[in-house]
Amino acid sequence: MTTLVQDHYGASGIVGRILAAVPWSSGDTSTLTADRLFPYDQLHGREILATRDHAARLNPANEAHVLDIGSGIGGPARYFASTFGCRVTGIDLTPDFVNAATELTRLSALSGQVAFVEGDAAAMPFEADTFDHACCFYVGMNLADKPSVLAESFRVLKEGATLIWTEVTTEGGAPHYPLPWARAQEGSHLVSRDRLTDRISEAGFQVLSVEDETDAHLELARRAMAEGTKPSRKSLQVNELVLGDDFMERRKNYIRSLSEGAIASTVILARK
């Protein structure tokens, strides 16, 4: 499973392509800031809009330490650090993502607050009771062993810590492949919203809320279609050059599967 995920997401030259996409003005000598990267480094549904919404639910204090499970190229981690002033540690299976996340964080002068570890979230290399909050943004679809990841999340969080978990769930239909997180069914590990909620509870968490944000994803797609807009160059840099040349086909299948009710976007907030 580890190799399958790494092969799906792995790509070289990520940092160079993102820096080439940033709209530097002529003679611009300012340092790279995290906010300049936000249009390019949020590799999940609704991108920076979702990150802002979900981060606000955790609202970490300045002295908090946040765990980002499946941290990708580090966009959400840098958002948390630059917005709230907190520390963030990200863990991800994919070496190319960890390397890119680390370099982009260094370039945006956030290395003192944000660090990334290559590792398996089902066996985290962290001590118990380390983190004040945790987030997992649209990673669960790739997790064959969700119970172990949730058990590890519970272990490394402090008492009273909060977890926000967003995931595409199956709602009784068959989605259309390829999809953003898997080009074929063998790489996809979808469960129903009820089953996901149960698994979070079984790990020891108190579930505070369960929400369906499918309409927010579909509304963005409808708005773009109504306005006749095409994906921006920024979006193409992220979605195609980071996630693969076939990403637009995969995204179309995602929106189609959402609109048909085969899948849904679920947000769960929980507390240890």
Side-chain angles (χ1 to χ4, degrees):
M1 188 62 216
T2 297
T3 302
L4 190 62
V5 171
Q6 291 172 333
D7 288 346
H8 179 75
Y9 289 109
S12 61
I14 293 171
V15 172
R17 290 195 297 274
I18 289 178
L19 293 180
V22 173
W24 305 96
S25 61
S26 178
D28 190 351
T29 59
S30 62
T31 58
L32 184 67
T33 55
D35 61 295
R36 279 190 166 187
L37 294 172
F38 292 157
Y40 311 91
D41 62 8
Q42 313 290 318
L43 306 184
H44 51 258
R46 293 200 302 126
E47 300 172 357
I48 188 61
L49 298 177
T51 300
R52 287 176 178 146
D53 288 350
H54 303 325
R57 295 169 186 256
L58 292 186
N59 191 27
N62 182 268
E63 67 275 9
H65 192 180
V66 178
L67 172 64
D68 185 357
I69 303 164
S71 46
I73 62 172
R78 287 186 291 274
Y79 178 85
F80 272 106
S82 61
T83 302
F84 300 97
C86 59
R87 286 195 298 144
V88 187
T89 297
I91 183 169
D92 201 283
L93 270 178
T94 305
D96 289 330
F97 277 5
V98 173
N99 293 337
T102 300
E103 179 64 4
L104 290 169
T105 299
R106 183 189 69 79
L107 292 170
S108 54
L110 285 172
S111 296
Q113 291 173 255
V114 183
F116 300 95
V117 174
E118 180 187 334
D120 187 347
M124 296 190 203
F126 309 124
E127 297 292 330
D129 306 315
T130 296
F131 299 98
D132 300 288
H133 305 281
C135 63
C136 186
F137 292 158
Y138 299 99
V139 173
M141 303 88 70
N142 288 123
L143 298 178
D145 188 3
K146 279 187 248 291
S148 291
V149 175
L150 286 163
E152 279 290 271
S153 301
F154 188 86
R155 180 184 67 81
V156 302
L157 284 169
K158 298 176 182 177
E159 191 71 27
T162 49
L163 165 73
I164 189 159
W165 188 286
T166 67
E167 183 172 334
V168 175
T169 53
T170 179
E171 301 305 319
H176 302 279
Y177 290 93
L179 286 161
W181 61 90
R183 290 182 172 86
Q185 188 171 354
E186 60 263 29
S188 183
H189 300 277
L190 301 180
V191 297
S192 69
R193 180 178 296 125
D194 288 344
R195 187 68 188 113
L196 177 60
T197 304
D198 287 344
R199 284 181 172 172
I200 290 175
S201 295
E202 290 162 3
F205 289 99
Q206 175 192 3
V207 174
L208 303 177
S209 64
V210 181
E211 299 181 34
D212 182 347
E213 64 168 13
T214 302
D215 285 347
H217 290 252
L218 292 176
E219 178 57 30
L220 280 179
R222 283 193 291 264
R223 192 182 310 155
M225 187 176 297
E227 294 173 356
T229 57
K230 296 180 179 180
S232 67
R233 191 65 238 161
K234 293 181 296 187
S235 177
L236 291 175
Q237 289 290 337
V238 171
N239 295 337
E240 290 194 81
L241 297 183
V242 176
L243 295 179
D245 293 340
D246 62 343
F247 183 83
M248 297 313 294
E249 176 193 1
R250 289 151 58 195
R251 177 165 174 77
K252 286 179 182 177
N253 283 340
Y254 173 60
I255 296 300
R256 179 184 174 190
S257 299
L258 283 174
S259 65
E260 291 176 356
I263 57 175
S265 179
T266 296
V267 183
I268 298 178
L269 185 66
R271 178 183 294 128
K272 177 174 175 178

